[in-house]
Amino acid sequence: MRLEDKVAIITGAGSGMGRVAAQMFAAEGAKVVVAEFDERGGTETERLVADAGGEASYIKTDVSREGDARAMVDHAVKRFGRVDVLYNNAGIMPEADHSVTDTDVAVWDQVMAVNLRGVFLGCKYAIPRMVEQGSGSVINISSFVAILGCSVPQDAYTASKGAVLSLTRSLAVQFGPNGVRSNAICPGPIETPLLMDWLLKDEAAKQLRLARNPTGRFGKPEEIVNAAVYLASDESRWTNGAQFVIDGGITVNYF
Ligand SMILES: NC(=O)c1ccc[n+]([C@@H]2O[C@H](COP(=O)([O-])OP(=O)(O)OC[C@H]3O[C@@H](n4cnc5c(N)ncnc54)[C@H](O)[C@@H]3O)[C@@H](O)[C@H]2O)c1
């Protein structure tokens, strides 16, 4: 198994790509900490992993709160003895996030608190453990919107995901010498509740996005998590500071 005995913290693992990640990581032999704000979703993921014969432990976590981030890392160490992987996946994309000209400060701050401060806090508490161990893998979920402009803006979301990419590079350089690798994944539009709840209400918005994709479809969670399994495993031992754009080709599409 590719992740035998590795301990992985996966944030936002109560839904979408995070849940699929918990399932796929456990199937590859990892012990998974399900760090999730939504108790129902988090405990359901824990149960799904256990039903499939894997090991997972849920801890209620709001990644934007420092005490919760500390407790999440402590939980991993107490329960499983170490932290090999920090998979910063939790993220939000509120409908009220538009252009800078019409986005409320409260919405901007909320997006930054979860999508960016959450990554900062996870790293703040997990990386020192990894440095102590002499090894670790940080996987940060950014987005294809971090590297493209969009005429249908979600400016707080876009800015938060751009910052996650920059932070990933800084982490890679700082902690690479300690055996801690940091990489980012930039998914294109993926069929998860985050995107579908919003697009299902607006057929025109959905068709607009599909028309831009050379594959003519949205991605599936496992098509992103496959890359995360690689980054969590020792197969990627020399992969550091990379950004994997997995989007069906949207970002290389001129027309
Ligand atoms: N779906 C897409 O098209 C897409 C594209 C690019 C990037 N992403 C990113 O991928 C990641 C996962 O997205 P998804 O599509 O699976 O979304 P999702 O909404 O299905 O899952 C996100 C999970 O994060 C949890 N969460 C939200 N706020 C939290 C907090 N403060 N603390 C802990 N958990 C919290 C939610 O409860 C939910 O379970 C996000 O960072 C998202 O921005 C998604």
Side-chain angles (χ1 to χ4, degrees):
M1 284 196 280
R2 294 165 74 193
L3 304 179
E4 185 99 57
D5 293 332
K6 292 210 184 284
V7 177
I9 298 173
I10 306 178
T11 69
S15 170
M17 286 185 268
R19 170 172 289 167
V20 172
Q23 293 173 297
M24 286 174 64
F25 273 45
E28 289 291 349
K31 296 167 179 144
V32 177
V33 170
V34 175
E36 164 64 52
F37 182 64
D38 172 45
E39 214 163 322
R40 250 179 66 179
T43 51
E44 176 67 3
T45 299
E46 186 185 50
R47 188 189 64 76
L48 287 168
V49 170
D51 286 355
E55 232 180 312
S57 178
Y58 170 65
I59 178 164
K60 186 172 170 70
T61 309
D62 178 345
V63 293
S64 70
R65 297 170 70 102
E66 184 159 16
D68 284 17
R70 191 190 301 117
M72 159 185 99
V73 174
D74 286 349
H75 182 78
V77 174
K78 232 180 257 155
R79 181 71 206 270
F80 297 127
R82 51 191 288 121
V83 183
D84 297 298
V85 180
L86 172 65
Y87 188 158
N88 284 311
N89 165 81
I92 56 169
M93 193 176 74
E95 282 184 38
D97 176 19
H98 298 292
S99 166
V100 287
T101 55
D102 58 11
T103 297
D104 289 343
V105 169
V107 173
W108 180 275
D109 287 349
Q110 182 198 10
V111 172
M112 289 296 167
V114 178
N115 295 8
L116 182 55
R117 193 203 298 157
V119 174
F120 151 57
L121 289 173
C123 292
K124 178 171 178 172
Y125 290 99
I127 288 179
R129 298 279 180 182
M130 294 175 172
V131 169
E132 247 175 60
Q133 294 164 190
S135 68
S137 173
V138 176
I139 304 168
N140 289 332
I141 299 302
S142 176
S143 168
F144 73 114
V145 301
I147 51 177
L148 274 181
C150 183
S151 56
V152 190
Q154 297 166 296
D155 281 338
Y157 184 81
T158 299
S160 72
K161 293 299 187 179
V164 166
L165 271 189
S166 311
L167 180 61
T168 304
R169 294 186 199 106
S170 182
L171 299 173
V173 172
Q174 285 178 72
F175 301 107
N178 305 98
V180 180
R181 302 178 292 103
S182 301
N183 295 284
I185 300 177
C186 300
I190 307 297
E191 280 174 9
T192 67
L194 177 121
L195 187 67
M196 293 302 133
D197 287 354
W198 177 61
L199 284 184
L200 283 181
K201 291 182 210 145
D202 189 344
E203 187 57 28
K206 186 174 175 180
Q207 291 310 324
L208 189 67
R209 279 156 186 79
L210 283 175
R212 295 298 302 159
N213 199 310
T215 64
R217 66 170 177 86
F218 296 122
K220 300 188 183 314
E222 60 271 25
E223 290 167 338
I224 300 303
V225 177
N226 279 326
V229 170
Y230 164 74
L231 289 173
S233 79
D234 295 337
E235 295 158 26
S236 59
R237 66 179 78 82
W238 206 55
T239 307
N240 188 30
Q243 68 186 54
F244 287 74
V245 179
I246 304 173
D247 67 354
I250 299 174
T251 49
V252 296
N253 186 8
Y254 181 36
F255 281 114

